[in-house]
Amino acid sequence: MASFDDIDLRTLLAGGKRDWDRFVAAAAPVIHAVARRVVAAHGVSVDEAVDVAQDVFVRLCADDRRLLRSYDPARASLGTWLAIVARSCAIDHLRRRRQSHATLEEVPDSVAAVEDKHVERLNIPAGLLTERQALVLRLLYDRDMDVAEAASLLKVDAQTVRSTHHKAMLRLREHFRVEA
Amino acid sequence: MSETDPVGSDKDRALWARLKAASAADDVARLPAVFDEELAAWLDGRLPPHAAARVEARLAADPAMLSLALDTRAALHEAAGAPAPDRLVTRAQALVGFEVERQAQSGGSRLGRLGGWWRRLELAAVTGAFLVVCATGFSLGGDLQQTFAGDGERFDVAVYVANPLAESEVNFLADQGGQ
């Protein structure tokens, strides 16, 4: 499988066909995986993932690769950045597609809910928990992640996650005992 | 929470449920926005602690943002083991081919426009040359005319006719011609 390490960003942005082909070979699995997940979440046939992914590539090379030029290799890896950008592009694609095919009333609630911007609030007094502690509780309790998964996401070891969870719960118990 | 590596107790879970139902809230709207690049950097573990804390505050308070982060990470894992369909790769690679062709076409049209100008230049050159030839010819013709006209002034019958006819002979010929 082609690797992002083979990509010379400078020559890619200069517009070389060979560099574009190499970029596509490396990026297609990531973009297609994102597209598959997005179409599945929106209740669209997985067969359309290729069209959605193709639209992402179109956006990447449009306007003299304006979107691709916004990538800063000093900040993040190309693969991760692409995955996030591809998700936004894919959701935009499906939104446009939905607008052209159906009115809002015709969209099933289950599908519309995916775009719901309602935010489920984390009702913890400000400053009681650190950001990391709050996130660990979110991952473990709301997302049903196990410790290893949370540790992998946070780039820490499992013991650190357990410790963070423990300290967070201590603070919460203490706080609510005082308030009660 | 997963059963594979349990952490916390039922009491913890119950407390968490109460917290979610409580009135005090972190307002996600007052949290600073997290941009795509920052989230990507956080997923790569490249952010310094203070920036990572800002992203994590947002992730903890904003389920949509957290879903984005988790989905992205899952997609990256999936991509590592699943190649993209060939037709996607072919179509995407052809985008730049088409672009090059399009540029070539637009370049071709530029050439076409240049060709048009060239043809107009050719036409103008030919027309100019024609006019020059005409003018030259006209002026040449005028000179000859003048030359002949001048020659006419100096025309002397005696030069061309060594022995002119006598008047009676002329009259005789005229009579013959009239008959």
Side-chain angles (χ1 to χ4, degrees):
Chain A
M1 188 186 293
S3 164
F4 286 113
D5 296 336
D6 302 332
I7 307 295
D8 182 340
L9 196 63
R10 193 176 50 81
T11 54
L12 172 66
L13 294 177
K17 165 72 174 156
R18 189 183 306 169
D19 296 286
W20 173 256
D21 287 354
R22 204 175 291 151
F23 167 74
V24 169
V30 172
I31 292 176
H32 187 249
V34 169
R36 257 196 335 257
R37 294 183 71 86
V38 169
V39 297
H42 284 71
V44 178
S45 166
V46 178
D47 294 340
E48 294 204 25
V50 170
D51 290 335
V52 173
Q54 173 72 1
D55 190 52
V56 174
F57 278 112
V58 169
R59 300 270 284 271
L60 284 169
C61 72
D63 297 333
D64 192 25
R65 298 169 174 76
R66 189 168 59 86
L67 181 56
L68 205 48
R69 286 178 196 281
S70 69
Y71 165 65
D72 179 3
R75 302 289 304 274
S77 67
L78 183 55
T80 307
W81 178 82
L82 266 180
I84 289 177
V85 167
R87 190 177 189 275
S88 298
C89 292
I91 289 172
D92 281 349
H93 175 95
L94 292 182
R95 188 180 292 131
R96 289 197 309 272
R97 176 184 176 278
R98 202 169 64 199
Q99 283 170 351
S100 65
H101 284 83
T103 63
L104 188 61
E105 289 73 22
E106 291 167 338
V107 178
D109 289 344
S110 59
V111 174
V114 176
E115 295 292 331
D116 191 358
K117 293 294 182 188
H118 169 74
V119 174
E120 183 187 14
R121 292 178 173 181
L122 184 66
N123 296 324
I124 296 173
L128 181 62
L129 299 180
T130 66
E131 294 86 357
R132 174 61 61 92
Q133 287 171 340
L135 182 55
V136 163
L137 295 181
R138 272 283 184 198
L139 296 174
L140 296 178
Y141 290 113
D142 289 353
R143 302 287 169 158
D144 281 338
M145 293 178 80
D146 63 32
V147 171
E149 287 172 327
S152 171
L153 176 67
L154 298 171
K155 309 278 187 301
V156 296
D157 58 39
Q159 186 53 40
T160 302
V161 172
R162 286 196 192 86
S163 168
T164 305
H165 167 267
H166 180 68
K167 288 175 184 171
M169 293 313 300
L170 279 179
R171 284 193 186 189
L172 290 176
R173 286 188 208 117
E174 187 180 329
H175 177 80
F176 279 90
R177 199 163 45 233
V178 169
E179 279 204 342
Chain B
M1 186 162 43
S2 171
E3 296 299 318
T4 58
D5 188 6
V7 62
S9 63
D10 289 344
K11 281 186 181 176
D12 291 339
R13 186 176 288 277
L15 176 57
W16 181 253
R18 279 178 54 204
L19 285 172
K20 288 171 68 178
S23 56
D26 275 349
D27 190 354
V28 71
R30 71 176 169 73
L31 291 171
V34 171
F35 298 102
D36 287 352
E37 246 182 18
E38 290 175 288
L39 185 59
W42 181 82
L43 284 166
D44 285 340
R46 290 191 187 184
L47 285 184
H50 68 281
R54 203 165 61 80
V55 172
E56 289 177 13
R58 183 83 193 195
L59 291 172
D62 186 348
M65 178 70 77
L66 183 55
S67 293
L68 166 59
L70 297 179
D71 253 13
T72 301
R73 186 167 169 274
L76 286 167
H77 279 284
E78 283 176 19
D86 288 342
R87 64 193 176 103
L88 170 62
V89 175
T90 304
R91 284 171 61 189
Q93 287 178 337
L95 279 173
V96 164
F98 287 141
E99 190 183 23
V100 169
E101 281 178 14
R102 186 179 55 76
Q103 285 172 349
Q105 281 171 0
S106 64
S109 65
R110 279 197 294 272
L111 282 175
R113 284 196 295 273
L114 281 174
W117 280 107
W118 181 251
R119 277 191 292 278
R120 285 176 198 169
L121 278 173
E122 280 181 336
L123 185 63
V126 167
T127 306
F130 176 74
L131 289 173
V132 167
V133 167
C134 286
T136 307
F138 181 78
S139 60
L140 276 176
D143 287 347
L144 284 173
Q145 212 170 16
Q146 282 178 356
T147 303
F148 285 125
D151 286 347
E153 286 172 4
R154 293 189 301 272
F155 184 73
D156 186 357
V157 175
V159 174
Y160 299 96
V161 181
N163 299 305
L165 296 176
E167 189 176 353
S168 59
E169 289 170 324
V170 171
N171 289 336
F172 171 77
L173 287 173
D175 288 342
Q176 291 298 313
Q179 290 174 3

